[in-house]
Amino acid sequence: MHRVRTTCLLAALWLGAMLLPGHGARADAFADLASPQLGAVTAAISTLAASPDPQAGAALQALGERSLFAAPDGNVYIRHGENYVEARTGQPAASVPEGMKPIRLNNRIRAALAGVQAGRDLLASQPATRLRAADALYARHDPAMLPAVEHALAVEKDAAVRTRLTEVRAATILGQPPAPDALASRLEAVRALGGVGGAQARGILAGVAASDAEAPAVRHEAQQAVSRIDWHLRAWGVAQNAFYGLSYGSVLLLAATGLAITFGVMGVINMAHGEMMMIGAYVTWMVQQAIRATVPALEPVAILVAIPVAFGVCGALGIVIERGLIRFLYGRPLETLLATWGLSLILQQAVRSIFGPTNIAVQTPGWLSGAVAVGGMDITLNRLAILVFAGLVLGGLMLVLRHTPLGLQMRAVTQNRRMAALMGIRTPRVDALAFGLGAGLAGLAGVAVSQIDNVSPNLGQSYIIDSFMVVVFGGVGNLWGTLAAALALGMGGKVLEPTIGAVSAKIAILVLVILYIQRHPRGMFPVRGRGVES
C-alpha cells in the first residue's frame, strides 16, 4: 500500500511539472511553430525567445534558415546536412519520420524572428549592435517587446542608445491598445515621438489621433504633433528636391559650359552637343567593361579612368566634326543648325546599331553608393560626387581660360573675332580647339550623368534643350552666367515638380526664361566687348 501511494505521488508530481507554465508553454511552443495559424506561430516565437533553454534559440535559428521540419506526429526536427535532431532535446533522431515537411517561413514570421533577434541584441556588448537593434524595434513597435525594451533601457549606459530606446519605448507604448490607467504614459509617449519626427513617427501618431478609443487629451496632443511633423517633412522635402536640383544643375552646368564655349567663340548652334554627352556615357560603359575583363582589381576606380578617356574621345571627335563639317558653314547659322541636327540623328543611329536600342547600365562603384542622412533628407554619394566634380571642372576651365595662351585667344575671338585675326591669332585653329574643348566637356557630362540616369541612344535629347536654355539665360560665353543659370533652372524645376508635376514645371521654367529674355536679351551676365556690343 505504501508503494502504491508513493507511485501515485510521483505521478502527480510529474503531471504537475508538465503543467507548469514554463514547461508546458515551451512544449506547446515547439509544436506551435508548425501551426497553420500565423498568430500561434508568432506567439510561439515570442515564448521560445523568452526561454533560457538553448534548444529554443537553436529552433528559432533553424526556422530562420529554413532548416526546421515538422513531422505528422507533431514533433519538430532540425536538419543538419543529411541528419536530423529533435528540436526539443537536441538529441539525434533515431529514425526519420515519413511525411516530414519544412515549416513555412513568410514575411510575418521573418518580422517576428527579426524582432526576437533585435531583442537579444539589445543586451549585446557593442553599442553599435544595440543601436541597430533599437532601430529595428522602433520600426516594428511590437507591444510584446515592451518588457525587453524597458529592461534594456534600465541597464543602458550609452547616451545615444538610451535616447533611441526611449523613442522605441514610446512607439511600443502607443502600439498597445489604450487603457484607462495609461493616460500619463501615453501622453509622454506622444510627446516623445513628436520630438523624434519622421514618417514612421507620423504614422504612429496619426493612428493615435484618429482612434476613437483614445482619451481626448492624447488625441489632441497627437494631432498637434502630426501637424508639426508635417511641417518639418514638407520643409525637408523641399530641401531634398533642392539637392536633387543641384545635382541636375551640375550636369546641366557641365553640358552647357561646353555649349557656351562653342556658341560664344564660334557662334555655332550645335544640335549634336547632346550626342557628345551620350558618347561620353557609352565610353564610360566601355571603359568599365574593359577594366572588368582585363584588370578586375581596378574596377572600383573605372569611373575615374573613364573621365580622361571620355574627354579625349569626345574632344577628338569634336575637332573632326569642326574640321570636316562646321568650318564650311560659318556665317550661315540656319545651315549649321540643320547640319548639326542631321549629325545628331546619324550619331544616334550609329550608337543604336552598335550597342542596341535598349538601355545599358553603368555600375556605380561601391565608394559612390549609399547616402548620408542629414536631418530629414538623404545626401546620396553619387549626386554629391557630381556636385564636386562639376565644381572641379568649372574651376579647371576657368584656369585654362584665364592663365593659358589658348584661353586668352579664345576670349579674344569671343569678344572681337576680326580684331583677334588682325592681331595674328589663328582663328581657325582656335575654332577647332574650342569646338573640341566643348565636345570634351560634354563627354565629361556624359560620365557624370551615367551615374544617375539610364544610358541609351536618346540620352542627349533629354538635356540639349535645357542646356540651350542655360546658355541663353546665363549669357552667351560667360561661365559665371552659365553657373548661375544651370543651378537656377536645375533647382527651380526640381522644387516645382512635386507641386505642379514634371511637365508643368518645365513649362513654367520655360515661360519664366522667355519673360526674362524679353527684358534682358543678352542674359543675366552678358559678355562685354566691341565685337559683341556692335
Side-chain angles (χ1 to χ4, degrees), residues 407-423:
L408 180 62
Q409 293 172 7
M410 288 175 58
R411 287 189 291 133
V413 172
T414 299
Q415 293 181 10
N416 195 317
R417 172 178 290 270
R418 293 178 61 189
M419 184 62 71
L422 291 174
M423 295 298 294

Side-chain angles (χ1 to χ4, degrees), residues 1-13:
M1 180 66 67
H2 175 72
R3 294 182 61 183
V4 171
R5 286 198 298 268
T6 302
T7 303
C8 292
L9 178 61
L10 291 175
L13 290 173

Side-chain angles (χ1 to χ4, degrees), residues 153-169:
L153 186 59
V155 300
E156 184 58 57
K157 303 299 183 184
D158 187 88
V161 179
R162 186 174 180 81
T163 300
R164 191 56 169 166
L165 284 174
T166 303
E167 298 166 358
V168 173
R169 179 178 178 274

Side-chain angles (χ1 to χ4, degrees), residues 199-247:
Q200 288 183 338
R202 187 201 180 281
I204 299 172
L205 291 171
V208 173
S211 175
D212 294 332
E214 289 287 353
V218 177
R219 292 178 60 186
H220 178 70
E221 190 72 27
Q223 289 169 356
Q224 289 185 332
V226 168
S227 299
R228 291 193 300 270
I229 292 176
D230 284 341
W231 187 90
H232 284 95
L233 288 178
R234 284 194 295 268
W236 282 114
V238 172
Q240 183 76 73
N241 290 324
F243 172 70
Y244 290 152
L246 280 176
S247 63

Side-chain angles (χ1 to χ4, degrees), residues 355-377:
F355 297 99
T358 57
N359 297 339
I360 61 173
V362 177
Q363 184 175 356
T364 300
W367 53 277
L368 283 181
S369 301
V372 178
V374 178
M377 60 184 293

Side-chain angles (χ1 to χ4, degrees), residues 274-288:
E275 277 54 53
M276 297 296 105
M277 284 183 60
M278 176 261 294
I279 291 174
Y282 273 96
V283 169
T284 304
W285 178 80
M286 287 190 291
V287 169
Q288 190 176 80

Side-chain angles (χ1 to χ4, degrees), residues 84-256:
Y84 290 84
V85 299
E86 293 185 6
R88 289 183 175 86
T89 63
Q91 298 298 321
S95 61
V96 179
E98 295 183 0
M100 280 206 308
K101 295 181 180 180
I103 295 179
R104 63 175 173 170
L105 182 64
N106 56 25
N107 290 336
R108 184 174 173 182
I109 297 176
R110 287 191 188 94
L113 291 174
V116 167
Q117 184 61 44
R120 292 180 176 178
D121 288 344
L122 286 178
L123 303 178
S125 59
Q126 297 296 327
T129 303
R130 301 198 299 273
L131 187 59
R132 286 196 300 270
D135 290 337
L137 290 176
Y138 179 76
R140 295 187 65 232
H141 50 273
D142 184 1
M145 300 302 297
L146 183 58
V149 172
E150 291 182 334
H151 174 68
L153 186 59
V155 300
E156 184 58 57
K157 303 299 183 184
D158 187 88
V161 179
R162 186 174 180 81
T163 300
R164 191 56 169 166
L165 284 174
T166 303
E167 298 166 358
V168 173
R169 179 178 178 274
T172 306
I173 288 175
L174 294 179
Q176 295 177 326
D181 57 347
L183 177 61
S185 62
R186 294 183 75 82
L187 277 173
E188 180 185 357
V190 168
R191 295 189 184 102
L193 282 189
V196 174
Q200 288 183 338
R202 187 201 180 281
I204 299 172
L205 291 171
V208 173
S211 175
D212 294 332
E214 289 287 353
V218 177
R219 292 178 60 186
H220 178 70
E221 190 72 27
Q223 289 169 356
Q224 289 185 332
V226 168
S227 299
R228 291 193 300 270
I229 292 176
D230 284 341
W231 187 90
H232 284 95
L233 288 178
R234 284 194 295 268
W236 282 114
V238 172
Q240 183 76 73
N241 290 324
F243 172 70
Y244 290 152
L246 280 176
S247 63
Y248 179 70
S250 300
V251 175
L252 287 182
L253 174 64
L254 291 172

